[in-house]
Amino acid sequence: MNTAPTKIAVLVSGGGTNLQALIDAEKKGIITSGKIELVISNKPGAYALTRAENAGIRTAVINNKEYATREAFEAEVKSVLKENGIELIILAGFMCILTESFTSCYPKRIINVHPSLIPSFCGEGFYGLKVHEAALSYGVKVTGATVHFVNEIPDGGQIILQRAVYIEPQDTPEILQKRVMQEAEWNILPEAAELVSKEIKEKGEEYEHIQG
Ligand code: GAR
C-alpha cells in the first residue's frame, strides 16, 4: 500500500467556497488520505486563488480565453497536472466543460460537485445560480447537491454522494444556493474527496491509470 497522500488538484473559476471547505477539511483531519497540492483557475483574479494562497497552496492561472482552441487549453492544464504529479482532480465551481479527450485521460480521477440532485437540473447550461432558478421555477420541494465522477457526458458520470435539502416557501435562488452549499456541498465534497483519495492510495497500481 502506498503511504503518501493522494496528490489533489482543485480546479476553480470563482469565489471558491467549496475549495475553502476542502482546505478546512484537510486541516480538521476529515481529509487524511489526500493533500491539496495545487489550485488551477481558468479565471485570473478569482477569489479562490486568494483562498489557496492564504492556505499556502501553489496556484496556477490558465486562462481559457487566451487559447485558440479548447484542445490547446486542455493540453496546458494536462501538462501542469503532470508536472505536479497530480493523481486526483476536483472540480469545485469550475465553469469549463472538459472534452472527452481530456476526461478519458483521467478515468475515475476527476470528481465534480453539482448543486442539484442529479439527474435533475444538470447538464450543459445548468451551472451556478441557474440551477437554483430552474429548481424553484419547476416547483420541486426537495433539491440538494451531488458529487460525481466526471466522464464525457456533462454531469453524467457515476454518482459518489448526494445530500437532499428542503425548499422553503420564502426561498430565492440566492438564499437556496447558500443553503445548498452550507447543508450539502461543503459536507459531501470533502467526504467524497476523502473516499476517492483513500481508494487511489490503497489500490495504488491497481487503480485506474492516468492515460497520456
Ligand atoms: C457551487 O454551487 C458549485 O456547486 C457550482 O458553482 C458554485 C461554485 O461556488 N458548480 C456548478 O454549477 C458546476 N456545474 P464556489 O466557487 O463558491 O465553490
Side-chain angles (χ1 to χ4, degrees), residues 9-16 19 36-53 57-67 73-74 76-78 80-81 84 89-96 98:
V10 185
L11 274 54
V12 296
S13 301
L19 167 67
I36 306 166
E37 296 279 343
L38 176 70
V39 169
I40 300 178
S41 173
N42 69 306
K43 288 255 189 309
Y47 187 66
L49 290 165
T50 306
R51 294 181 190 271
E53 282 154 17
I57 300 166
R58 264 197 311 283
T59 61
V61 175
I62 307 174
N63 183 351
N64 55 313
K65 295 200 173 128
E66 284 177 1
Y67 293 80
F73 165 68
E74 290 181 349
E76 181 59 17
V77 175
K78 268 175 73 175
V80 173
L81 294 171
N84 286 274
I89 300 160
I90 302 182
L91 309 183
F94 184 64
M95 298 305 181
C96 298
L98 295 164

Side-chain angles (χ1 to χ4, degrees), residues 17 27 40 52 56 63 75 166 187 212:
T17 65
K27 284 207 188 103
I40 300 178
N63 183 351
Y166 284 103
N187 296 308

Side-chain angles (χ1 to χ4, degrees), residues 105-119:
C105 294
Y106 303 96
K108 292 225 174 157
R109 284 175 183 268
I110 313 176
I111 69 174
N112 177 48
V113 62
H114 182 77
S116 75
L117 293 174
I118 289 175

Side-chain angles (χ1 to χ4, degrees), residues 12-207:
V12 296
S13 301
T17 65
N18 279 287
L19 167 67
Q20 191 66 54
L22 290 164
I23 293 170
D24 294 346
E26 205 183 296
K27 284 207 188 103
K28 286 187 205 147
I30 294 164
I31 299 176
T32 57
S33 305
K35 185 169 187 309
I36 306 166
E37 296 279 343
L38 176 70
V39 169
I40 300 178
S41 173
N42 69 306
K43 288 255 189 309
Y47 187 66
L49 290 165
T50 306
R51 294 181 190 271
E53 282 154 17
N54 289 343
I57 300 166
R58 264 197 311 283
T59 61
V61 175
I62 307 174
N63 183 351
N64 55 313
K65 295 200 173 128
E66 284 177 1
Y67 293 80
T69 62
R70 203 137 39 132
E71 286 67 28
F73 165 68
E74 290 181 349
E76 181 59 17
V77 175
K78 268 175 73 175
S79 114
V80 173
L81 294 171
K82 198 169 181 179
E83 268 165 33
N84 286 274
I86 296 304
E87 302 170 283
L88 173 63
I89 300 160
I90 302 182
L91 309 183
F94 184 64
M95 298 305 181
C96 298
I97 291 181
L98 295 164
T99 68
E100 184 172 3
S101 84
F102 184 94
T103 59
S104 63
C105 294
Y106 303 96
K108 292 225 174 157
R109 284 175 183 268
I110 313 176
I111 69 174
N112 177 48
V113 62
H114 182 77
S116 75
L117 293 174
I118 289 175
S120 290
F121 313 116
C122 63
E124 227 161 323
F126 286 99
Y127 57 88
L129 210 54
K130 287 180 194 287
V131 178
H132 305 290
E133 285 165 0
L136 288 176
S137 85
Y138 196 95
V140 292
K141 302 299 174 202
V142 182
T143 185
T146 303
V147 179
H148 62 93
F149 284 113
V150 173
N151 65 8
E152 69 286 358
I153 304 157
D155 297 324
Q158 187 193 332
I159 291 172
I160 304 166
L161 289 175
Q162 288 190 305
R163 194 144 306 161
V165 173
Y166 284 103
I167 301 220
E168 306 286 352
Q170 73 283 9
D171 275 344
T172 62
E174 290 78 8
I175 293 171
L176 184 58
Q177 179 180 51
K178 189 80 202 275
R179 204 164 64 255
V180 168
M181 284 176 161
Q182 280 170 337
E183 292 182 10
E185 296 184 53
W186 299 341
N187 296 308
I188 62 171
L189 184 60
E191 286 169 23
E194 172 58 19
L195 281 174
V196 180
S197 295
K198 190 163 190 273
E199 189 145 343
I200 293 174
K201 188 174 128 154
E202 288 182 353
K203 287 205 172 147
E205 277 302 298
E206 282 162 42
Y207 198 84

